[in-house]
Amino acid sequence: MAGYFLRRIVQAVLILLGVSFITFFLLYVLPADPVRQIAGRSATAATVENIRQQLGLDQPFIVQYGRYLAGLVQGDLGRSYLQKTEVAELIASRLPATLQLMLAGIAAELVLGLGMGIAAALLRGRVADQVLMMTSFVTVSAPQFVVSLLLLYVFAVKLGWFPIGGYGTLWHLVLPALTLGILGSGWYSRMMRSSMIDVLRADFIRTARAKGLTQSRVVLRHALPNAILPIIAMIGIDIGIFMGGIVVVESVFGWPGIGQLAWQAIQRVDIPIIMGVTLVSACAIVLGNLLADVLAPFVDPRIRLR
Amino acid sequence: MKKWLTSTALVLTLALPVAAQDYTPSPDAKAGGSITVTYKDDVATLDPAIGYDWQNWSMIKSLFDGLMDYVPGTTELRPGLAESYEISPDGLVYTFKLRAGVKFHNGREMTAEDVKYSLGRVTDPATQSPGAGFFGSIAGFDAAGPDGLSGVEVTGPLTVKITLSRPDATFLHVMALNFASVVPKEAVDEAGADFGKKPVGTGAYKLEEWTLGQRLVFAKNADYWRAGVPFLDSVVFEVGQEPVVALLRLQNGEVDVPGDGIPPAKFQEVMGDPAQAAHVVVGGQLHTGYITLNVKMAPFDNLDVRKAVNMAINKDRIVQIINGRAVPATQPLPPSMPGYTEGYAGYAYDVEGAKKLLADAGLADGFETEMYVMNTDPNPRIAQAIQQDLAAIGIKVNIQSLAQANVIEAGGAGTAPMIWSGGMAWIADFPDPSNFYGPILGCAGAGDGGWNWSKFCDEALDAKATEADSMADPAKVEERLKLWSDVYTGVMEQAPWVPVFNEERYTMKSDRMGGEDALYVDPVSIPVNYDYVWVKQ
């Protein structure tokens, strides 16, 4: 077990190193000069050069990257070029909101997706099954911006059940989490349906039914734990996809997460922020995958971590 | 003595019109209350030496003061922290007498030393201020460093003498820029690089709360040196709000001013509904949207080709694309800018004439070229309209729709044959015609990395521009504006740009908001002059 974790941690560090290198390199070759943005329109060539030197951007790529890594090891993510604020502080102030929304969103995704998938599997071939699968198709392909605004318009503006955007209470969380849940539920419902159908066909389910167990007991006790295994692994992968959706949903609902921060930084080529947010997202994905792997043995004891 | 009399006479000619046009708030104006303003993006910084976007510009104006200021809702200069000023006859020495008893938000009284420190700080290369270049005419600018500027001298506890290395007619405007705000050294030292998050100024408001990514609260500065203002007890800025959502919240009575304005997709709906349109305030702004034609690249090195492109663009139709939120432009300067040439027609829309000019240039079959454009709405749509117009005279334009930073890079490097400036277009830093020339049309900006994307450089026009900027004598204002008008018509004769439109500003406000319309389209405080607006209930 300890060996497993050590291996995974080494793997994670290597992945993060790779992500940091690729991102840093792409930002380095990007045809956009952050110094010009900092220096402003009326700057002389000498001022531009001076700022470039102060930021170390006149150094070769490998020196710049080395310096960044050296800072990173000491927990220093650098300072924003344009805001001059510590990147770590900017991210830390927004991370709790994103995590909160992420957890709620994934929970909503699972409840909706698994519910739809199980129902469709049990009602396989009937109209309800077709309706559910069609719905899942629509939710997967619906644009995030449109769904967010639609929910906001109906439930916040027209019905007045929830606040129109903002952050702070549980009520503020419902609509953005639900939006993310609806948008992501399609993948889970399709996956759950096919996984469930496979399991329901298995011999041990027939045995369970032959023993005279009730339908609910067969489904909840025997079929579900087996059918859910591929879903757990999927959650880890899903976090990556989820980050994309979160940027849009955060901006529509005025949710103060890191998605907004990243978007603003990208527009202004504020490299330290872009790097910081990318690394934090990569950490989330790596951790999500690790968590999914660690959880699997608890659901299915046949799986061993090695 | 003679010198003293002359300078006093100068002061009088300058000071009198300013005093006459100072601002008297409406007698109905009430003190108290709080308003909510929303923005899509978080505020980058409130450090006056660093902040340089339209969102933080007016916020910084409310937190800080400089020696000079503007009459609310206008482009007229008035004294700010300076009670009075004198200009030497040669226009090289400005002596400012500061107001007594002005306090910073930390309670300390402001002195002449603070002015010296602040100007030294903004020009010190270590500060990395995007506004440092504005102070280029102060003596010692070239050697600016941690020790401050040699041209700024403290001659008394409340007197500052600023010596210029060359006459600069725009100097008083420069002293009204946010970059010239007076800051207390001890607060800057204490906050270090975080001063932008912990601003301390002498302004009408002080920063009470800043929750990153969520909200900022400005609270009334009860000790503000200007009597009677601000009217509001507080201004709450909620950031991270999508403009469409901000509009919904305005309709719901939760927001007083949507800072990002009316979203383009909702514009017609808002203007078509009389109840909503009643909340809209329209005003001009010192803005020009233009196409640059790279004069160093064939075939735009040919004047006939540049003229043909100017004549081929249907500006009225482009204005329609942005829902009529602009007026077609004929010259680089916008109409509300002093020095604008009234009656100058520019290049009228004339497809046949354009074709003929192209044929004269030996390009009867047209040619293929590229136009760079920023990739946010409505700019790609405007680029498509330009593409269609040019196709009509045989020019095939390939559109390069890129992020702002990439377009700026291509423009600076001189690799872009054409650029549609939208989204990055020039909005004046101060209301003086010179501000539309130097970096974007003058030789200084035409070098590698400069903002003169058409790489246009005419030494004779540059000399005229320098001459105009040297005419600091207030008695020569008319002559100076005439000279600028000549410079810009001279530019148009060589057609390095296609001036396309001058954008109008549309702001919305809730029923609660009081104060005249001009405060909501204030040329220097976008979207609202926070110091002078008030609430009815």
Side-chain angles (χ1 to χ4, degrees):
Chain A
M1 189 79 166
Y4 173 81
F5 275 110
L6 198 67
R7 232 181 11 256
R8 285 301 296 256
I9 288 168
V10 172
Q11 250 177 27
V13 170
L14 287 177
I15 290 172
L16 291 177
L17 207 60
V19 169
S20 74
F21 181 81
I22 293 170
T23 319
F24 205 91
F25 181 72
L26 288 178
L27 290 169
Y28 179 78
V29 297
L30 191 77
D33 185 358
V35 180
R36 292 210 194 290
Q37 309 249 334
I38 301 166
R41 309 181 289 200
S42 56
T44 59
T47 313
V48 171
E49 271 326 296
N50 187 302
I51 295 177
R52 197 184 303 285
Q53 213 180 338
Q54 285 182 48
L55 296 176
L57 293 173
D58 55 340
Q59 301 290 321
F61 170 75
I62 203 70
V63 176
Q64 289 186 35
Y65 181 63
R67 279 186 185 167
Y68 186 79
L69 280 189
L72 207 57
V73 172
Q74 296 161 31
D76 179 10
L77 288 169
R79 256 180 203 275
S80 150
Y81 286 163
L82 295 157
Q83 306 185 32
K84 318 277 177 196
T85 311
E86 292 275 359
V87 172
E89 189 191 329
L90 289 172
I91 291 178
S93 68
R94 288 163 175 268
L95 204 56
T98 294
L99 284 178
Q100 208 179 344
L101 180 56
M102 197 161 184
L103 286 179
I106 290 178
E109 210 172 55
L110 286 175
V111 171
L112 287 170
L114 299 192
M116 278 162 68
I118 294 168
L122 293 175
L123 303 168
R124 190 182 168 206
R126 298 199 208 159
V127 179
D129 176 26
Q130 283 166 4
V131 170
L132 281 171
M133 282 307 102
M134 205 117 84
T135 314
S136 75
F137 193 72
V138 173
T139 59
V140 163
S141 34
Q144 293 146 343
F145 191 75
V146 174
V147 174
S148 313
L149 271 180
L150 202 69
L151 285 189
L152 194 70
Y153 187 73
V154 174
F155 294 104
V157 178
K158 282 288 151 193
L159 297 173
W161 293 352
F162 301 100
I164 311 177
Y167 172 77
T169 68
L170 202 59
W171 287 115
H172 288 99
L173 183 62
V174 176
L175 286 182
L178 204 61
T179 311
L180 286 167
I182 290 173
L183 290 169
S185 64
W187 299 115
Y188 286 99
S189 67
R190 293 195 154 236
M191 188 90 173
M192 189 65 200
R193 178 180 178 271
S194 53
S195 174
M196 192 77 176
I197 286 171
D198 282 347
V199 173
L200 286 175
R201 281 202 199 111
D203 288 341
F204 69 92
I205 295 292
R206 203 171 304 133
T207 313
R209 286 214 168 107
K211 282 198 298 188
L213 295 183
T214 58
Q215 170 77 346
S216 60
R217 199 165 166 77
V218 170
V219 171
L220 295 176
R221 190 79 188 85
H222 295 267
L224 193 59
N226 288 289
I228 212 162
L229 271 176
I231 305 289
I232 293 176
M234 199 173 144
I235 300 174
I237 301 163
D238 186 49
I239 292 175
I241 305 168
F242 212 80
M243 293 304 282
I246 251 179
V247 175
V248 177
V249 172
E250 277 182 1
S251 71
V252 173
F253 288 96
W255 195 263
I258 57 172
Q260 283 184 2
L261 182 71
W263 178 234
Q264 225 177 322
I266 289 167
Q267 286 171 316
R268 298 171 177 180
V269 211
D270 204 334
I271 291 174
I273 299 186
I274 304 176
M275 282 300 298
V277 174
T278 310
L279 286 180
V280 167
S281 309
C283 278
I285 295 166
V286 169
L287 278 177
N289 277 301
L290 184 62
L291 205 64
D293 290 350
V294 172
L295 279 180
F298 290 100
V299 182
D300 185 351
R302 286 171 303 178
I303 297 176
R304 286 253 167 83
L305 297 177
R306 43 176 108 216
Chain B
M1 185 64 182
K2 191 177 171 217
K3 192 175 170 189
W4 170 248
L5 279 177
T6 331
S7 59
T8 312
L10 276 181
V11 172
L12 284 178
T13 44
L14 253 188
L16 276 178
V18 167
Q21 283 163 354
D22 209 344
Y23 184 75
T24 322
S26 145
D28 301 333
K30 278 190 261 181
S34 172
I35 62 167
T36 304
V37 181
T38 62
Y39 282 106
K40 184 159 74 60
D41 293 329
D42 197 1
V43 178
T45 175
L46 290 173
D47 184 339
I50 308 289
Y52 197 14
D53 57 55
W54 63 272
Q55 179 194 34
N56 60 23
W57 195 254
S58 53
M59 293 182 180
I60 290 172
K61 276 216 172 308
S62 287
L63 295 173
F64 295 90
D65 294 303
L67 296 179
M68 299 299 292
D69 184 17
Y70 291 98
V71 176
T74 74
T75 53
E76 300 292 332
L77 273 171
R78 67 170 174 178
L81 291 179
E83 196 175 56
S84 62
Y85 52 86
E86 286 165 19
I87 309 170
S88 67
D90 59 2
L92 285 177
V93 181
Y94 285 69
T95 308
F96 293 93
K97 173 111 181 58
L98 306 184
R99 284 173 208 276
V102 175
K103 281 186 182 157
F104 285 115
H105 298 154
N106 63 10
R108 181 171 71 75
E109 270 190 31
M110 182 221 34
T111 67
E113 288 291 347
D114 294 308
V115 177
K116 182 175 167 61
Y117 167 74
S118 304
L119 293 176
R121 173 174 183 256
V122 71
T123 48
D124 181 358
T127 309
Q128 298 178 6
S129 167
F134 289 112
F135 302 92
S137 61
I138 300 181
F141 175 79
D142 294 333
D147 300 330
L149 292 166
S150 60
V152 184
E153 287 170 74
V154 173
T155 53
L158 291 173
T159 326
V160 185
K161 191 170 100 178
I162 302 179
T163 310
L164 306 187
S165 53
R166 55 180 155 88
D168 180 1
T170 66
F171 187 66
L172 288 176
H173 281 298
V174 170
M175 286 295 110
L177 282 174
N178 283 356
F179 298 116
S181 298
V182 180
V183 297
K185 181 173 188 296
E186 69 276 12
V188 176
D189 287 345
E190 194 189 329
D194 290 329
F195 186 65
K197 292 276 181 289
K198 298 167 184 165
V200 176
T202 57
Y205 292 95
K206 41 188 166 187
L207 179 69
E208 189 176 67
E209 180 202 324
W210 186 343
T211 311
L212 289 176
Q214 292 182 43
R215 57 190 235 138
L216 291 88
V217 180
F218 283 14
K220 177 180 186 153
N221 174 8
D223 289 333
Y224 192 47
W225 55 272
R226 229 184 252 283
V229 280
F231 293 110
L232 299 169
D233 286 338
S234 64
V235 183
V236 180
F237 299 96
E238 293 191 5
V239 296
Q241 303 266 324
E242 193 57 39
V244 179
V245 177
L247 184 65
L248 289 172
R249 293 187 62 206
L250 176 90
Q251 290 160 353
N252 208 32
E254 294 174 25
V255 164
D256 296 299
V257 178
D260 298 297
I262 310 164
K266 289 274 177 189
F267 185 75
Q268 274 176 331
E269 183 190 314
V270 168
M271 298 310 284
D273 172 7
Q276 287 190 63
H279 294 118
V280 176
V281 183
V282 189
Q285 58 181 347
L286 301 171
H287 161 280
T288 303
Y290 52 87
I291 306 164
T292 59
L293 307 173
N294 191 331
V295 301
K296 297 268 185 262
M297 270 181 150
F300 295 118
D301 52 357
N302 183 324
L303 177 59
D304 281 343
V305 174
R306 299 200 297 268
K307 282 184 177 170
V309 172
N310 261 283
M311 288 156 74
I313 308 290
N314 185 346
K315 296 170 187 172
D316 292 315
R317 204 166 66 90
I318 296 175
V319 168
Q320 276 174 12
I321 288 175
I322 56 164
N323 295 312
R325 287 204 241 196
V327 288
T330 56
Q331 53 193 298
L333 289 185
S336 36
M337 180 71 101
Y340 176 82
T341 314
E342 291 291 342
Y344 178 75
Y347 296 94
Y349 177 52
D350 176 5
V351 178
E352 290 312 312
K355 278 185 188 166
K356 189 176 169 304
L357 274 177
L358 266 195
D360 290 349
L363 290 164
D365 296 332
F367 59 91
E368 195 168 334
T369 186
E370 274 184 340
M371 181 164 68
Y372 285 64
V373 55
M374 189 175 142
N375 58 8
T376 53
D377 189 65
N379 299 307
R381 285 190 290 133
I382 293 172
Q384 282 165 10
I386 296 168
Q387 187 184 37
Q388 272 182 23
D389 286 342
L390 293 181
I393 61 165
I395 303 176
K396 183 174 186 301
V397 178
N398 300 311
I399 295 177
Q400 296 280 350
S401 183
L402 300 167
Q404 180 178 34
N406 303 87
V407 179
I408 293 173
E409 180 70 17
T415 52
M418 298 173 80
I419 299 177
W420 161 243
S421 70
M424 309 158 288
W426 206 251
I427 296 182
D429 298 294
F430 51 82
D432 187 275
S434 78
N435 193 238
F436 260 83
Y437 187 81
I440 46 175
L441 282 165
C443 296
D448 191 26
W451 290 72
N452 179 345
W453 298 334
S454 56
K455 302 294 167 196
F456 171 74
C457 170
D458 183 308
E459 305 281 354
L461 285 176
D462 245 33
K464 261 191 184 177
T466 311
E467 189 192 338
D469 264 351
S470 308
M471 297 167 80
D473 183 349
K476 289 188 180 163
V477 165
E478 287 309 315
E479 198 183 323
R480 179 171 179 264
L481 292 181
K482 173 74 183 64
L483 200 53
W484 270 121
S485 162
D486 291 349
V487 170
Y488 287 109
T489 44
V491 167
M492 283 311 290
E493 273 167 28
Q494 300 188 51
W497 277 17
V498 185
V500 178
F501 57 63
N502 305 113
E503 220 169 89
E504 302 269 290
R505 197 132 59 78
Y506 283 73
T507 307
M508 277 187 95
K509 56 178 178 129
S510 71
D511 277 332
R512 300 170 63 222
M513 299 302 300
E516 62 199 72
D517 279 0
L519 296 175
Y520 293 87
V521 283
D522 190 303
V524 288
S525 289
I526 299 173
V528 164
N529 189 322
Y530 303 114
D531 299 7
Y532 286 85
V533 295
W534 45 278
V535 286
K536 292 174 193 159
Q537 65 262 20

